[in-house]
């Protein structure tokens, strides 16, 4: 897996110049700029300007929030943020990004165009700083008819300051001008995904140049769009070919190397001098850069290759530790001794330890040895990420190799529920529904807190999270902001539990686009696995009584709802990789009547369960989503009954043990399973893989009879399902041998 960093040099396609009044201040002339991948082609237009220019904040409508005026993002309903005609005949100057969520380059340019601008200059926001790349197309890209360019943040701020000092006379221009320029290299790209993985291991493995990469065979449209010759693009899709090319060179140099050897060499010799910003004051961590940026000056002769080129301790409680055996093979062609040491980095080095089981590793040519590596934290270590490396230095050559190490300390489960109030009261002017939920949790005997933790890792102390949106239709006005959704997403990746309810659930946790029933953001369409179908199943009319019937784990329950707005959704279709959830998202309550599409439902349950066919779970979390609130329960099932069943489904854990009594060849033996649900749900099915190649056997009870024909030891697996639909798979070794 490959992340992206910036390069030390770049090709730029345009120049920006402040032209009046003169002399222009430093940072405002001969400014490097890159082009948009949308709108008219600048090289056919000549110079844009000189013309007066308008920083976005000088043209923003009064209703644009103060902290959003520089970004030029549309107001709700795709309304322009700029006063009509405020940029007529001018060049717009707009900051990249946005609050509370960023909007795309093409949206900003289109908004400037609607205000009368003849061109747009976008300058980087703080997150991107001094690194600039191509401007990707997004919403309204096809509607853009004016040219636009992107410049560094420092240049943009200098140009804004020039306008502030000369508001009536400041002028600017930009022109197509292909030239080389300097850049700050080895800075993590903002678009590069960070680790850890869902399995809580270090990723990416390495990073490589992926910002403003100049290449041939360039086209702006999907295949078979015509090639445009050369072009610059940014993305991890640009970084991965660098690593593929490096692997090709290594295999040309060492045809006998395996893929694992190539990977080890690229990782252990990578430079760790990777930074979080162009200021180069803060080093990027292993969850940003993995082992580091690949270094072809070092990779050709590493001396050693490792079976574990990174060591991930995963998540553990304070005071715990894990030991890994790293196997090292000498491929240098000569005997050598390596000095082994460890290095803890970061601000909390006193709270954890990386210990190597040996201080030296002496290996003959082609020999393999083992370095035990123990990672752990001290008792009382604060929750958070800890990292460092194991370092090996050759006495013969001075070659330095490193193995990145990471672990995360999480707090123990100490509180049953984190209650997230997203109903938009009191600041949003909505009805306050909190009392309904605090009363429910208290009645169920569940401890709960309502203050969202500052550190995302502190979410691990909760057994479950409950989010309620009431009739609120705005994330910004509620308590489930995008930043909090990001924190909850990581909690869920670690096996968290979430129950979300609300009359406006899709809008209350909105973090995507309302232009698609599928793209409703990473929480609604991603983690809940939902496609929005209808804001109100019954329009403006009253819901029938009863309103919905329970399915699956909620079978036998009936809802009567008094709410005017009851939201319907369905599981996303298979045509989207991110939200391919139909196999694991199931209807929990289906409405009676209404106008929503057939097959939709007003509540869903999502979980991934192990099976004999695939023991590894697709994901570890569980999610319940309901397009109504408990405040609307009018009859039939009560809030307490619904809450009791919901928490049983969320927190249920199935366990199984299997007697491993020996058997005799050709004689019938009985295998007995001991299975239980942590919440007392009945065990409804047993499936057996008897380990000898015979077909799987399904039983209603905990025992099975079988004859093994041959002696040996068989790995017997049993899949157990309980009445809530949760499963587990157990293993046992069954020895089969003659009695004598």
């Amino acid at each position: 897996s490959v992340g992206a960093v910036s390069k030390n040099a770049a090709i730029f396609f345009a120049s920006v110049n402040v032209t009046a009044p003169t002399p222009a201040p430093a940072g405002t002339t001969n400014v490097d700029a890159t082009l948009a991948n949308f709108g008219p082609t600048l090289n056919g237009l000549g110079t844009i300007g000189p013309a007066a220019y308008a920083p976005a904040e000088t043209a923003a409508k009064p209703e644009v929030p103060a902290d959003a005026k520089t970004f030029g993002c549309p107001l709700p309903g795709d309304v322009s943020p700029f006063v009509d005609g405020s940029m007529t005949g001018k060049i717009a100057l707009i900051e990249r990004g946005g609050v509370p969520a960023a909007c795309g380059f093409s949206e900003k340019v289109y908004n400037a165009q609607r205000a009368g601008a003849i061109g747009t200059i976008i300058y980087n926001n703080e997150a991107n700083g001094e690194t600039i790349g191509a401007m990707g197309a997004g919403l309204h890209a096809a509607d853009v008819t004016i040219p636009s360019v992107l410049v560094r943040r420092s240049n943009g701020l200098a140009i804004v300051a020039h306008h502030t000092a000369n508001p009536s006379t400041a002028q600017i221009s930009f022109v197509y001008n292909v030239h080389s320029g300097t850049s700050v290299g080895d800075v993590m790209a903002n678009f590069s995904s960070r680790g850890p993985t869902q399995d809580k291991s270090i990723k990416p493995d390495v990073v490589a140049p992926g910002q403003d990469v100049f290449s041939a065979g360039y086209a702006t449209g999907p295949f078979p769009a015509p090639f445009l010759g050369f072009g610059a693009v940014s993305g991890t899709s640009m970084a991965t070919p660098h690593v593929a090319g490096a692997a090709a060179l290594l295999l040309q140099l060492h045809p006998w190397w395996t893929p694992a050897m190539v990977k080890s060499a690229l990782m252990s010799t990578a430079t760790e001098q990777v930074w979080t910003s162009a200021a180069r004051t803060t080093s990027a961590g292993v969850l940003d850069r993995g082992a580091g940026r690949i270094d072809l000056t070092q990779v050709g002769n590493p001396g050693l290759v490792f079976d574990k080129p990174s060591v991930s301790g995963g998540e553990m409680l304070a005071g715990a530790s894990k030991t890994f055996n790293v196997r090292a093979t000498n491929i240098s062609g000569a005997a050598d001794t390596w000095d082994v040491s460890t290095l803890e980095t970061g601000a909390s080095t006193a709270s954890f330890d990386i210990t190597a089981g040996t201080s030296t590793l002496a290996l003959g040519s082609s020999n393999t040895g083992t370095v035990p590596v123990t990672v752990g934290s001290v008792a009382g270590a604060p929750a958070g990420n800890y990292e460092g490396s194991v370092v090996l230095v050759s006495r013969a050559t001075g070659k330095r190799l490193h193995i990145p190490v990471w672990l995360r300390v999480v707090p123990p489960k100490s509180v049953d529920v984190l209650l997230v109030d997203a109903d938009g009261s009191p600041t949003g002017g909505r009805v306050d529904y909190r009392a309904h939920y605090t009363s429910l949790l208290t009645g169920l005997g569940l401890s709960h807190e309502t203050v969202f933790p500052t550190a995302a890792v502190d979410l691990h102390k909760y057994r479950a999270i409950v989010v309620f949106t009431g009739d609120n239709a705005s994330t910004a006005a509620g308590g489930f902001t995008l930043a909090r959704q990001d924190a909850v997403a990581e909690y869920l990746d670690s096996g968290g539990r979430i129950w979300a309810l609300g009359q406006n659930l899709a809008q209350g946790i909105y973090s995507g686009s309302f232009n698609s029933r599928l793209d409703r953001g990473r929480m609604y369409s991603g983690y809940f696995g939902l496609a929005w179908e209808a804001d109100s199943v019954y329009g403006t009319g009253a819901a029938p009584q009863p309103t919905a019937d329970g399915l699956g784990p909620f079978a036998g329950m009936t809802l009567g709802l008094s709410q005017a707005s009851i939201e319907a959704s369905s599981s996303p279709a298979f045509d989207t990789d991110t939200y391919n959830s139909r196999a694991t998202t199931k209807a929990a309550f289906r409405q009676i009547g209404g106008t929503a599409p057939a097959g939709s439902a007003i509540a869903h349950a999502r979980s991934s369960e192990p099976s004999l066919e695939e023991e590894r779970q697709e994901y570890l979390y569980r999610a319940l989503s309901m397009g109504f609130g408990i405040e609307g329960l009018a009859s039939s099932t009560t809030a307490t009954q619904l809450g009791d069943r919901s928490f049983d489904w969320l927190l249920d854990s199935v366990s199984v043990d299997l007697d491993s009594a020996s058997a005799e060849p050709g004689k019938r033996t009985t295998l007995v399973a001991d299975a239980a649900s942590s919440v007392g749900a009945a065990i409804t099915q047993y499936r057996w893989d008897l380990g000898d190649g015979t077909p799987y056997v399904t039983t209603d009870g905990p025992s099975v009879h079988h004859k093994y024909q041959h002696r040996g030891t068989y790995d017997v697996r049993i899949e157990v399902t309980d009445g809530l639909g949760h499963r587990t798979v157990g293993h046992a070794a069954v020895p089969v041998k003659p009695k004598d």
Side-chain angles (χ1 to χ4, degrees):
S1 297
V2 182
V5 294
S6 61
K7 305 185 283 83
N8 289 319
I11 301 295
F12 300 96
F13 291 82
S15 295
V16 174
N17 288 280
V18 162
T19 58
T22 58
T28 65
T29 59
N30 297 317
V31 173
D32 299 326
T34 58
L35 304 179
N37 290 336
F38 55 87
T41 304
L42 185 60
N43 61 344
L45 297 177
T47 301
I48 307 302
Y53 63 97
E57 57 269 33
T58 66
K61 293 177 178 176
E63 58 266 35
V64 177
D67 60 348
K69 290 185 182 296
T70 62
F71 296 109
C73 290
L75 295 171
D78 197 27
V79 174
S80 172
F82 301 126
V83 174
D84 291 345
S86 58
M87 295 183 174
T88 299
K90 298 179 181 179
I91 294 173
L93 184 63
I94 305 174
E95 184 176 4
R96 183 179 184 176
V99 291
C103 60
F105 291 114
S106 52
E107 292 177 87
K108 296 172 183 285
V109 178
Y110 179 67
N111 288 334
Q113 175 182 307
R114 288 197 281 183
I118 62 172
T120 302
I121 300 169
I122 296 177
Y123 61 96
N124 256 337
N125 54 3
E126 189 171 353
N128 294 277
E130 300 303 282
T131 58
I132 55 176
M135 298 165 61
L139 293 178
H140 289 297
D143 303 319
V144 172
T145 59
I146 62 174
S148 54
V149 295
L150 175 68
V151 301
R152 298 182 180 91
R153 179 165 183 79
S154 61
N155 298 123
L157 294 177
I159 296 170
V160 170
H162 180 69
H163 184 276
T164 301
N166 306 278
S168 60
T169 58
Q171 292 193 339
I172 202 167
S173 68
F174 60 91
V175 63
Y176 184 78
N177 175 30
V178 181
H179 63 283
S180 62
T182 60
S183 184
V184 181
D186 288 333
V187 176
M188 288 299 306
N190 73 304
F191 54 76
S192 186
S193 293
R194 269 63 168 177
T197 67
Q198 179 176 288
D199 291 331
K200 300 302 173 253
S201 60
I202 294 173
K203 289 291 178 178
D205 296 312
V206 292
V207 292
Q211 189 124 20
D212 194 24
V213 175
F214 191 62
S215 180
Y218 179 78
T220 58
F223 181 83
F227 288 140
L228 302 180
F230 290 85
V233 178
S234 297
T236 47
S237 294
M238 305 301 108
T240 49
H242 282 90
V243 179
L249 291 174
L250 283 173
L251 291 174
Q252 184 180 16
L253 185 65
H254 305 292
W256 59 279
W257 277 18
T258 65
M261 295 169 72
V262 171
K263 177 178 178 178
S264 173
L266 286 167
M267 292 179 66
S268 66
T269 62
T271 176
E272 298 167 279
Q273 298 300 303
V274 179
W275 311 93
T276 60
S277 69
R280 287 194 165 202
T281 54
T282 303
S283 296
V286 299
L287 295 181
D288 300 312
R289 47 124 173 123
R293 192 257 299 149
I294 61 171
D295 186 351
L296 268 65
T297 69
Q298 299 295 322
V299 72
N301 184 26
L304 296 176
V305 290
F306 307 106
D307 69 336
K308 294 180 179 66
S310 66
V311 171
S312 299
E315 294 175 341
M316 61 179 71
L317 298 176
S321 63
K322 297 178 184 178
T323 298
F324 302 83
N325 290 317
V326 179
R327 291 172 55 83
T329 302
N330 183 353
I331 61 169
S332 68
D336 197 356
T337 298
W338 297 75
D339 293 314
V340 183
S341 60
T342 60
L343 179 67
E344 294 94 12
T345 57
S348 304
T349 56
S351 297
F352 75 111
D353 295 297
I354 305 170
T355 305
T358 180
S359 60
T360 59
L361 183 66
L363 294 175
S365 177
S366 301
N367 287 356
T368 297
T370 299
V371 178
V373 178
T374 300
V375 298
S377 61
V378 302
N385 294 313
Y386 298 90
E387 64 180 57
S389 59
V390 178
V391 178
L392 298 94
V393 179
S394 166
R395 292 183 180 178
T397 66
K399 189 83 169 186
R400 181 187 185 277
L401 305 178
H402 68 281
I403 299 172
V405 177
W406 166 81
L407 65 92
R408 173 179 290 163
V409 173
V410 297
K413 301 293 184 187
S414 58
V415 182
D416 290 323
V417 176
L418 171 65
L419 185 62
V420 181
D421 184 343
D423 66 8
S425 64
T427 58
R430 299 280 182 171
V431 177
D432 188 354
Y433 294 106
R434 179 184 292 201
H436 293 273
Y437 294 89
T438 55
S439 176
L440 169 66
L441 297 175
T442 300
L444 292 173
L446 297 173
S447 60
H448 56 277
E449 294 178 351
T450 57
V451 177
F452 201 94
T454 302
V457 71
D458 289 332
L459 288 172
H460 287 268
K461 74 177 183 179
Y462 302 104
R463 297 175 68 205
I465 293 175
V466 174
V467 180
F468 64 95
T469 64
D471 58 3
N472 182 35
S474 170
T475 297
F480 205 37
T481 61
L482 296 181
R484 289 183 175 183
Q485 290 182 42
D486 287 343
V488 169
E490 186 153 337
Y491 159 82
L492 293 175
D493 285 341
S494 297
R497 306 291 192 255
I498 190 169
W499 181 19
L501 312 88
Q503 302 164 54
N504 292 96
L505 185 61
Q507 292 172 298
I509 60 170
Y510 156 68
S511 62
S513 167
F514 281 159
N515 294 329
S516 167
R517 55 183 285 273
L518 284 173
D519 182 18
R520 290 290 171 131
R522 68 183 300 197
M523 193 60 59
Y524 187 86
S525 293
Y527 285 89
F528 297 144
L530 300 179
W532 171 85
E533 298 292 356
D535 282 333
S536 183
V537 174
Y538 304 106
T540 58
Q545 302 298 321
T547 311
D549 293 321
L551 304 170
F554 296 90
M557 303 182 80
T558 301
L559 299 180
L561 294 169
S562 62
Q563 294 162 342
S565 176
I566 301 171
E567 189 174 280
S569 55
S570 62
S571 182
F574 292 101
D575 60 356
T576 167
D577 292 338
T578 305
Y579 306 143
N580 185 355
S581 64
R582 188 170 286 180
T584 56
T585 301
K586 305 296 183 183
F589 284 97
R590 182 156 285 138
Q591 63 273 15
I592 297 171
T595 58
S600 65
I602 63 171
H604 286 81
R606 187 172 197 212
S607 68
S608 173
E609 306 293 337
S611 66
L612 293 179
E613 289 76 12
E614 178 55 79
E615 289 190 44
R616 187 180 187 273
Q617 293 172 255
E618 182 181 342
Y619 49 86
L620 303 178
Y621 64 87
R622 290 180 191 160
L624 272 177
S625 52
M626 298 181 179
F628 56 88
I630 61 171
E631 66 274 9
L633 289 169
S635 61
S636 303
T637 298
T638 66
T640 299
Q641 291 170 326
L642 179 63
D644 189 50
R645 185 73 59 87
S646 296
F647 282 111
D648 276 355
W649 184 86
L650 285 169
L651 302 176
D652 179 33
S653 175
V654 184
S655 60
V656 62
D657 291 317
L658 186 66
D659 289 342
S660 56
S662 60
E664 295 184 62
K667 293 187 177 182
R668 190 176 80 162
T669 187
T670 300
L671 302 177
V672 180
D674 181 15
S677 156
S678 63
V679 298
I683 304 300
T684 58
Q685 181 178 274
Y686 301 79
R687 293 180 68 221
W688 305 80
D689 172 11
L690 297 162
D692 60 353
T694 56
Y696 296 164
V697 176
T698 300
T699 64
D700 295 329
S703 62
V704 68
H705 305 296
H706 188 64
K707 286 184 180 181
Y708 287 96
Q709 300 302 320
H710 306 285
R711 63 188 301 165
T713 299
Y714 295 88
D715 177 25
V716 175
R717 300 185 301 147
I718 180 170
E719 172 196 301
V720 176
T721 305
D722 71 7
L724 293 170
H726 297 309
R727 294 196 298 260
T728 191
V729 175
H731 289 249
V734 176
V736 178
K737 57 186 177 181
K739 191 172 184 180
D740 57 358

